[in-house]
Amino acid sequence: MATRVPLADLSVNILKNRPKASLSKPIKKSKADFSYTENILMNMKLAEKKNTLKVNFLLKKNCIDGRERAEVVLWMYEVMWIEKLNDVTRQTAVNILDRTLQKRSTSSSRIDLVALASILIAAKLEEVIVPNPTVLIGYPSKRFTLKQLYRMERIILRLLKFQLIRPTPFCFLEAYFHTTRIDFKDKMQNFSRYLIDLGTTDQHIATYAPSKIASSALYIMLRKASSKNWWYDEFERVTGYTAEDVEKVIEPITKLSTSGLKNDFYTFLNNHYKRLL
């Protein structure tokens, strides 16, 4: 892989030291709150059916493999956190990268350029202040020029036919929090966000619908927060999924969150979430 900005040596086991949280019983919300958010959820579920990833989207000739993709996503996250880009921008950038890899074979020597262009496009869509392109090209040891970055940006836009907007798991998760009658604590919400971010490097999780990924993170958090299942009917009502519907997504996310991984991405996320959990 190409030389990139090195990660700091971090070692915080966030799950092991995570304080226990408890669920509050259902709270009252106005019908207007439910109706408005439920309409948004319905529209997002229609929108997520477009621009999907195939199960084998990385199996093209000369394309990078799952391990290299995970390394690139880790590096993208570091760049985006340094640039203080928001949650939706991070997820959108990775989705643009994946959809580009699905349509265009990319070698290891060019993947950083595709990643930078994906970040730039996502930032233009979601951010008020866009990162300076001159600064962006400095992250991969200045191996690329501004001209190359802008050219790759145009290539991606043409490949994706300017179909760039797709609801992210974070969009669904926030809608679930607003729709549910359960009174979530901030640390519980952040734990769900952590699980979504943790699953980003897994190429198989990336192929599932964003609503399923968000629902799986919500389910895992609820199951850890309460030994009783009084919340299960509320989970079904809010997400539209049963436990069986999201079982295939729950399993890999659970493995990632409980296996005590020592890889760079796990360590990197622990460092950034340690104050929130």
Side-chain angles (χ1 to χ4, degrees), residues 125-217:
L125 289 171
E126 302 292 346
E127 300 289 338
V128 176
I129 301 176
V130 178
N132 188 334
T134 304
V135 175
L136 285 181
I137 61 173
Y139 287 110
S141 302
K142 297 183 178 179
R143 291 186 299 111
F144 305 111
T145 64
L146 277 176
K147 185 177 180 180
Q148 289 175 306
L149 177 61
Y150 292 143
R151 182 174 181 274
M152 181 56 69
E153 185 181 24
R154 292 193 297 270
I155 289 173
I156 292 175
L157 292 174
R158 286 197 295 267
L159 275 175
L160 303 185
K161 299 179 180 179
F162 287 82
Q163 301 296 313
L164 306 171
I165 302 296
R166 191 187 188 216
T168 69
F170 279 112
C171 295
F172 281 99
L173 190 65
E174 293 304 317
Y176 293 159
F177 288 147
H178 282 86
T179 307
T180 183
R181 298 183 180 91
I182 300 173
D183 185 16
F184 290 111
K185 308 302 181 185
D186 287 343
K187 289 185 177 181
M188 296 163 65
Q189 294 186 28
N190 289 330
F191 181 61
S192 299
R193 297 185 182 100
Y194 168 80
L195 292 173
I196 290 174
D197 269 333
L198 188 62
T200 305
T201 54
D202 190 298
Q203 68 184 87
H204 303 295
I205 294 176
T207 62
Y208 289 106
S211 60
K212 278 194 174 183
I213 297 173
S215 299
S216 300

Side-chain angles (χ1 to χ4, degrees), residues 195 198-199 202 204-205 208 216 220 246-259 261:
L195 292 173
L198 188 62
D202 190 298
H204 303 295
I205 294 176
Y208 289 106
S216 300
I220 295 169
V246 294
E247 183 178 3
K248 290 183 179 180
V249 194
I250 290 173
E251 184 178 353
I253 293 179
T254 302
K255 286 182 178 179
L256 286 172
S257 65
T258 59
S259 60
L261 296 174

Side-chain angles (χ1 to χ4, degrees), residues 63-64 79 88 120 253:
C63 191
I64 65 170
V79 170
V88 175
L120 185 59
I253 293 179

